[in-house]
Amino acid sequence: MAQAVQDISRIQIRTRKSLKDQATELFDKLGLDMGTAINMFLAQSVRDGGLPFRASLTPLERDIAEAEASPVYYAGDAEAMKRIIDNV
């Protein structure tokens, strides 16, 4: 059954030409067009309640995210800093 016209929404994105060309070639080999592949990605994301693949950070980005999530300790002087370090 064809979708009703009012049920269709347009999405415009910008991406590198080389990435688009590589994806188009891959999807062609899989028998898909770009729109169908993107709709598959969106549908799977909704089904999974998140990205349909594991998103990961580079080691540096992971360390930064971990540091930002860590509690902040304030020390008024060197002795207070030593006590904090000894207890962490």
Side-chain angles (χ1 to χ4, degrees):
M1 178 194 315
Q3 291 182 334
V5 173
Q6 64 270 19
D7 191 33
I8 301 296
S9 180
R10 178 176 298 275
I11 296 175
Q12 279 186 300
I13 63 168
R14 293 188 185 278
T15 190
R16 293 185 325 273
K17 182 178 181 334
S18 61
L19 178 59
K20 179 184 177 234
D21 292 345
Q22 290 172 342
T24 299
E25 183 178 338
L26 170 64
F27 298 147
D28 284 345
K29 289 177 183 176
L30 294 170
L32 303 170
D33 60 34
M34 184 70 70
T36 300
I38 290 171
N39 278 311
M40 289 172 69
F41 168 81
L42 294 173
Q44 190 65 47
S45 295
V46 170
R47 259 193 302 278
D48 290 352
L51 295 174
F53 52 82
R54 185 172 162 241
S56 61
L57 302 173
T58 65
L60 174 61
E61 291 168 326
R62 194 172 336 152
D63 291 344
I64 290 171
E66 184 179 311
E68 289 174 340
S70 298
V72 177
Y73 298 98
Y74 296 96
D77 57 29
E79 288 304 314
M81 179 66 78
K82 288 178 188 175
R83 285 192 302 277
I84 291 170
I85 291 171
D86 289 340
N87 291 315
V88 174

